[in-house]
Amino acid sequence: MDPSLAAALAYVLGALTGVLMLALERESRFVRFHATQSIVFSLGVMVFVLIVSGLPAVGRVLSALASIGAVILWIVLMARAFQGHWFKLPYVGDAIEEHLR
């Protein structure tokens, strides 16, 4: 499978496809990077939305805004991976890249 396509597919169902791509791909650092970033991103968003949604009064609004922002960023991550770019999230991307060396 083309590495750009595999990297983009790692984002499709978040942590689920990220784990699947990590299990299937042993060679390509590019695919492994995006698969790991997909896992960290999707789990981070889920935890953040769960915490924020529990806040009284503003929880629903913040949760909705965070979800919209996450969907937009998810599309950007998938598109950049498909284009073959090493698009790194701040802090997380550098740590993942260092871990894969």
Side-chain angles (χ1 to χ4, degrees):
M1 180 182 299
D2 177 54
S4 296
L5 177 60
L9 289 175
Y11 289 102
V12 171
L13 296 175
L16 181 65
T17 51
V19 169
L20 180 64
M21 287 309 199
L22 273 178
L24 294 175
E25 181 58 56
R26 294 288 178 199
E27 305 272 328
S28 174
R29 279 187 58 231
F30 180 73
V31 174
R32 293 182 60 75
F33 167 80
H34 281 289
T36 305
Q37 185 165 262
S38 171
I39 294 166
V40 171
F41 172 70
S42 61
L43 293 178
V45 167
M46 286 191 312
V47 167
F48 181 79
V49 168
L50 283 172
I51 291 170
V52 170
S53 64
L55 296 174
V58 297
R60 287 185 182 177
V61 173
L62 288 177
S63 178
L65 290 174
S67 296
I68 291 168
V71 168
I72 292 168
L73 184 54
W74 171 69
I75 291 169
V76 169
L77 289 167
M78 211 175 348
R80 298 300 283 175
F82 187 70
Q83 295 168 347
H85 295 282
W86 287 75
F87 189 81
K88 296 187 288 186
L89 293 171
Y91 308 109
V92 173
D94 290 332
I96 292 168
E97 189 175 34
E98 187 64 33
H99 176 70
L100 292 176
R101 287 182 192 226

